[in-house]
Amino acid sequence: MIPADTEIWAIIAFMSVLFVLAAAFVCFLAILVLKPLLQQYALARPNARSSHRVPTPQGGGIAVLLALVIMVFLARFLLPASLDAPGSNSLSIVLAAAVLMGGLGAMDDIRPLPASFRLAVQFVLAAIVVAFTVHDGQRILPVSIPLLLEQAVLVVAAVWFVNLVNFMDGLDWITVAEMVPLTLFMIPLGLSNFFPGDDEALLAAALLGALIGFAPFNRPVARLFLGDVGSLSIGLLAGYLLLRLAQQGSLVAALLLPLYYLADATITLFRR
């Protein structure tokens, strides 16, 4: 006879796969609907530093963000018990911040915004996410470092990470290659009660599925990019997942997961 725990885990794993596939389908379908509009209004035109040679539509992140939000709220509706989990309000705040970050990116995709304005909004949204994520005396850096300084460092790190994800978006499949392993790592941790609630597993699964739905359009040679609307919001969401991982005493893991991505972009920017 199969142990009861094994049966429960098999059901959880099966439902998780279905959830990821549903998110992928929603994103794929949304891209098919949106692509003609993106082709007309959101073309990324190549420049001297571009990795592509012909104008390519951007804004696929709209579909990624749409699929993610739909799936998260659908899961919350079907699993109302998760609303009572510790810190369950944090995910709603993070999603709202990600949507606002995506809105900022969408405006910039259509008509470039002043860099100072973009950066100011990014700092505000990153500060909101950090403020609602770091609570109950949880520390990441040594306690000898003042809490206010730690939070300031986290905000700066979040803005830096968001912009690195944005910087890397012009390379085919690069964001998919980074975020798929990251989310795959986070899902089993969330399902095994590594975190206080189930928000991290839910967010990671929704993001994983949405990126899988986007991946066929972004494979080399890319026919669609995320655009700022996707890269900025995904950067914020991934940063939140890494922050939650670090809060559980796994700072090294939180640094290692995106390290090649961070190192590649950071070294490139410094060389330029």
Side-chain angles (χ1 to χ4, degrees):
M1 235 182 123
I2 301 176
D5 287 348
T6 303
E7 292 179 352
I8 292 173
W9 271 105
I11 293 172
I12 291 174
F14 178 72
M15 295 300 294
S16 299
V17 171
L18 286 183
F19 184 81
V20 170
L21 292 177
F25 176 76
V26 172
C27 181
F28 188 89
L29 188 63
I31 289 176
L32 292 180
V33 173
L34 290 171
K35 196 176 178 185
L37 292 175
L38 300 176
Q39 183 78 41
Q40 185 174 358
Y41 296 108
L43 279 180
R45 302 191 180 278
N47 55 44
R49 294 178 175 176
S50 297
S51 63
H52 56 105
R53 298 180 179 178
V54 298
T56 306
Q58 57 186 348
I62 297 174
V64 172
L65 197 55
L66 179 65
L68 186 146
V69 171
I70 288 175
M71 294 307 299
V72 168
F73 279 97
L74 181 61
R76 281 289 188 87
F77 176 76
L78 295 175
L79 302 170
S82 66
L83 294 173
D84 300 324
S88 61
N89 290 330
S90 296
L91 182 57
S92 299
I93 298 296
V94 170
L95 285 178
V99 170
L100 291 174
M101 189 75 86
L104 174 72
M107 289 188 290
D108 197 46
D109 285 333
I110 296 171
R111 180 175 297 177
L113 300 170
S116 57
F117 175 75
R118 294 200 312 267
L119 198 59
V121 174
Q122 289 170 9
F123 266 103
V124 170
L125 294 176
I128 290 172
V129 170
V130 169
F132 278 90
T133 305
V134 180
H135 49 74
D136 297 332
Q138 290 176 311
R139 298 299 303 270
I140 295 174
L141 302 179
V143 293
S144 59
I145 296 176
L147 179 60
L148 189 60
L149 178 58
E150 175 181 301
Q151 293 187 337
V153 169
L154 292 175
V155 171
V156 172
V159 172
W160 180 246
F161 186 71
V162 163
N163 281 281
L164 286 188
V165 175
N166 177 236
F167 173 73
M168 298 289 272
D169 178 42
L171 298 175
D172 302 352
W173 252 4
I174 190 68
T175 303
V176 174
E178 166 57 28
M179 297 303 169
V180 166
L182 190 156
T183 50
L184 274 173
F185 181 83
M186 298 294 292
I187 293 171
L189 286 182
L191 294 177
S192 61
N193 297 320
F194 180 80
F195 301 101
D198 57 5
D199 287 346
E200 292 76 18
L202 183 59
L203 176 59
L207 181 55
L208 171 62
L211 285 170
I212 290 173
F214 166 75
F217 300 94
N218 189 238
R219 68 182 179 84
V221 173
R223 294 171 290 143
L224 180 68
F225 291 115
L226 287 167
D228 287 4
V229 60
S231 57
L232 295 180
S233 55
I234 289 172
L236 188 66
L237 293 170
Y240 166 76
L241 289 174
L242 293 171
L243 175 57
R244 294 292 293 128
L245 181 61
Q247 282 182 314
Q248 304 308 309
S250 299
L251 177 59
V252 173
L255 293 174
L256 286 176
L257 276 172
L259 188 56
Y260 92 86
Y261 195 76
L262 292 174
D264 189 318
T266 303
I267 292 170
T268 301
L269 286 171
F270 275 116
R271 288 183 63 185
R272 287 183 179 179

